[in-house]
Amino acid sequence: METVCSAKEPAPKERRAAQDSSETPAVPAICTIQPSLFMSCSTGLQTPHLIIQMADPGKPLEPVTEIRTGQFFGRIKPTKLTIQGPVFPSDLGLILALDLATVQHLEIKGYQEPEFDLSLLPSNLTSLNSIVLSDNELRRLRPSRHCDPSTPFAQQQQQQQQHSGACSFSLGPSIQALDISNNLVTDLSADVLGLFPNLLTLHWSVNQLHHLDQHVLGAVPKLRTLDVSVNRLTTVSDRPFEPLRSLRHLNLENNAIKQLHATTFARLTQLEVLNLERNAIASIDAAAFQALTNLRRLHLASNRISHLPTRLFASLTQLLRLDLRRNDIHRVAHTDFEHMRALSFLSVTRNKIAFLPDGVFAPLRNLTELYISNNDIADVTAQTLAGLSTLKTLFMIGNRIADLAPNLLAGLPMLAHFNARDNHISAVPTRLFVQSPRMETIVLSGNRLEGIGFDVPLTELRVLDLDSNPL
């Protein structure tokens, strides 16, 4: 056993697993286009990732018939292509005229125009299914462009013109993912989204979006993931998502949404993840989540919620994670969680809760993590925690708890992590952990303990933190 600094409550979002250090990452092939329009490549080995960059950035390439490639370029059969700018529209025409039939994922960085014409992407990209245009300061996407017939790109597109003097975008039906995040786009028209009838993923985060339109989103009815986080949305009251019957993941984080109406999420019966963190939500209609019968994760942290309407979560019988941190909730009632038997994670940390009714968490038969930290709670009893026989983690940091009842943890045989630091606890009952044989972490730092002892050997204990006590 070791004594260490106290643990912090983990963030509720899953992190990506760290890459196995034993794996050697694939080195991309890097090809550089010289001012002479000759392209030299760093490797001739087959690689899934090709990066094309400019040797003389800052101005467009000279207009020529084609880019001359070295002997090694033909050996590269990439599935991912990154074009690193500064890059101009005419440059794209020359680069994408190369033999890139194996490319499935295209990323363009450093585009030098505020508008991007989708018609710049030619039909020879026959394997393309993913387009990334993030981080380019784009203000608008356009479906087609008028082109100068003297340019090589326009000559290549002559047979595909749908209108006199216009180049067209024909790859739309094969595209499944579109990323335009971190730009300055205020809206996408139905004319643009309508070019992607089979789109499954749309990343539209970190832009200047002010509203969502049902008619526009109806152009991509197969969408499964929609990310419109970090925009300027203030309301979502006009059923904007109703056409998206296949939607699984919806991210509305970090906007300025103030209210959730009864019809905000109408018809989203397949939705599994809903992220509403970091908004200004103060009012929620009791029927706001009624249609979300398949929801697994609901993130409502960092809003202005002061109370939970009766039966707000009644339809969320499949919910696994509920995050209510950093709100203004004053009380929780027996009825708030009565239908959430699948829930495994609940956090009400950093609210204004002063009292927890007996059995308030009893319906949560599969709960494994409970966080009630940084509230104004003075008393927690065995009855408060009744029914939580599967609980493994209990955090109640930073409250006003002075006494721990000897039977407080009696109904928690699976408990392994107990954190009650920064309270007013002056004594720990010697039999507190008698029925918690799996205890691995005990954190009681920042209290008023003058001594401590246990009547039971804690054979699994790995961490005991008693720092900042008058021991």
Side-chain angles (χ1 to χ4, degrees):
M1 181 183 70
E2 60 177 331
T3 302
V4 300
C5 295
S6 55
K8 296 181 179 179
E9 176 179 339
K13 294 180 181 179
E14 279 79 13
R15 303 279 194 252
R16 290 184 179 178
Q19 185 177 14
D20 189 337
S21 59
S22 64
E23 295 180 1
T24 302
V27 178
I30 300 177
C31 295
T32 303
I33 301 177
Q34 306 296 333
S36 62
L37 276 299
F38 178 77
M39 183 163 64
S40 58
C41 298
S42 64
T43 178
L45 300 177
Q46 185 172 352
T47 176
H49 187 191
L50 168 63
I51 297 174
I52 296 179
Q53 59 188 13
M54 308 297 177
D56 186 22
K59 61 181 181 179
L61 297 171
E62 294 294 329
V64 294
T65 303
E66 63 181 10
I67 296 173
R68 294 178 295 119
T69 59
Q71 59 177 325
F72 293 137
F73 182 78
R75 301 180 189 177
I76 304 172
K77 303 296 181 183
T79 58
K80 178 180 179 180
L81 170 63
T82 301
I83 301 174
Q84 292 184 345
V87 60
F88 295 84
S90 57
D91 300 341
L92 284 181
L94 290 168
I95 295 170
L96 296 178
L98 298 169
D99 182 9
L100 298 168
T102 58
V103 171
Q104 300 174 18
H105 178 93
L106 172 63
E107 182 174 5
I108 299 172
K109 297 181 176 181
Y111 188 71
Q112 295 298 292
E113 297 290 336
E115 297 186 355
F116 187 89
D117 297 292
L118 291 167
S119 57
L120 288 168
L121 308 180
S123 60
N124 65 303
L125 300 174
T126 53
S127 300
L128 192 65
N129 58 45
S130 175
I131 300 171
V132 177
L133 299 171
S134 59
D135 305 296
N136 283 298
E137 298 188 2
L138 295 176
R139 294 184 179 274
R140 184 185 174 197
L141 267 63
R142 295 196 306 185
S144 63
R145 69 191 178 105
H146 294 284
C147 24
D148 179 355
S150 66
T151 65
F153 178 70
Q155 293 170 5
Q156 181 187 353
Q157 295 284 50
Q158 285 291 330
Q159 296 180 352
Q160 299 175 25
Q161 291 179 4
Q162 296 180 352
H163 308 287
S164 177
C167 291
S168 63
F169 175 64
S170 61
L171 297 173
S174 66
I175 304 303
Q176 296 184 346
L178 175 62
D179 186 345
I180 58 169
S181 58
N182 204 13
N183 282 290
L184 301 172
V185 179
T186 57
D187 62 76
L188 288 180
S189 68
D191 289 341
V192 171
L193 284 185
L195 296 171
F196 304 95
N198 298 310
L199 197 66
L200 301 179
T201 301
L202 175 58
H203 290 286
W204 194 352
S205 61
V206 198
N207 276 280
Q208 304 294 320
L209 181 64
H210 287 83
H211 70 280
L212 291 168
D213 188 283
Q214 181 185 129
H215 172 67
V216 173
L217 292 177
V220 283
K222 296 182 181 180
L223 207 62
R224 293 188 178 184
T225 298
L226 174 60
D227 184 355
V228 288
S229 60
V230 198
N231 275 279
R232 297 187 176 183
L233 298 171
T234 59
T235 180
V236 284
S237 60
D238 55 349
R239 298 174 180 255
F241 313 110
E242 191 171 34
L244 305 180
R245 307 292 177 84
S246 298
L247 197 65
R248 301 291 198 278
H249 300 263
L250 176 57
N251 191 352
L252 292 160
E253 181 180 2
N254 209 343
N255 280 278
I257 300 167
K258 298 177 181 178
Q259 186 174 6
L260 301 180
H261 300 268
T263 58
T264 298
F265 306 112
R267 306 290 181 89
L268 295 185
T269 56
Q270 299 304 309
L271 196 67
E272 296 179 359
V273 179
L274 175 57
N275 191 346
L276 290 159
E277 288 188 16
R278 296 181 179 87
N279 278 279
I281 300 169
S283 175
I284 306 178
D285 189 282
F289 304 132
Q290 189 170 7
L292 310 182
T293 53
N294 278 300
L295 198 66
R296 301 298 195 271
R297 299 175 186 175
L298 176 57
H299 303 280
L300 286 165
S302 300
N303 280 284
R304 300 174 185 173
I305 303 167
S306 60
H307 77 283
L308 302 174
T310 302
R311 297 180 59 82
L312 176 64
F313 306 125
S315 297
L316 307 184
T317 57
Q318 303 301 313
L319 197 69
L320 300 176
R321 301 175 69 90
L322 176 59
D323 184 9
L324 292 164
R325 292 173 303 149
R326 299 189 180 93
N327 277 283
D328 297 321
I329 299 170
H330 287 76
R331 61 184 295 271
V332 288
H334 297 84
T335 55
D336 290 335
F337 312 113
E338 62 181 344
H339 298 286
M340 305 173 71
R341 296 180 179 178
L343 199 70
S344 62
F345 175 101
L346 172 63
S347 178
V348 291
T349 288
R350 295 194 181 278
N351 278 276
K352 298 178 180 179
I353 301 169
F355 174 70
L356 293 173
D358 289 349
V360 64
F361 304 119
L364 307 179
R365 298 177 182 176
N366 290 293
L367 197 69
T368 59
E369 299 178 63
L370 176 61
Y371 303 93
I372 56 175
S373 300
N374 299 106
N375 282 280
D376 198 32
I377 300 167
D379 189 26
V380 179
T381 69
Q383 288 71 37
T384 306
L385 304 176
L388 300 181
S389 60
T390 60
L391 196 67
K392 296 180 180 179
T393 300
L394 174 61
F395 276 42
M396 47 188 195
I397 300 166
N399 284 285
R400 295 190 300 112
I401 301 168
D403 297 310
L404 298 176
N407 64 343
L408 175 64
L409 310 178
L412 312 179
M414 305 295 291
L415 194 66
H417 307 285
F418 177 74
N419 193 326
R421 69 175 171 87
D422 298 332
N423 277 279
H424 303 160
I425 302 168
S426 58
V428 177
T430 58
R431 298 185 60 80
L432 181 63
F433 300 106
V434 166
Q435 297 188 44
S436 303
R438 305 187 182 203
M439 192 63 64
E440 298 176 16
T441 304
I442 299 173
V443 180
L444 291 164
S445 57
N447 280 284
R448 301 174 181 177
L449 298 176
E450 296 183 358
I452 190 169
F454 305 127
D455 280 354
V456 59
L458 298 174
T459 57
E460 301 296 323
L461 193 63
R462 298 293 179 266
V463 175
L464 175 62
D465 186 352
L466 302 174
D467 192 26
S468 300
N469 278 283
L471 295 171

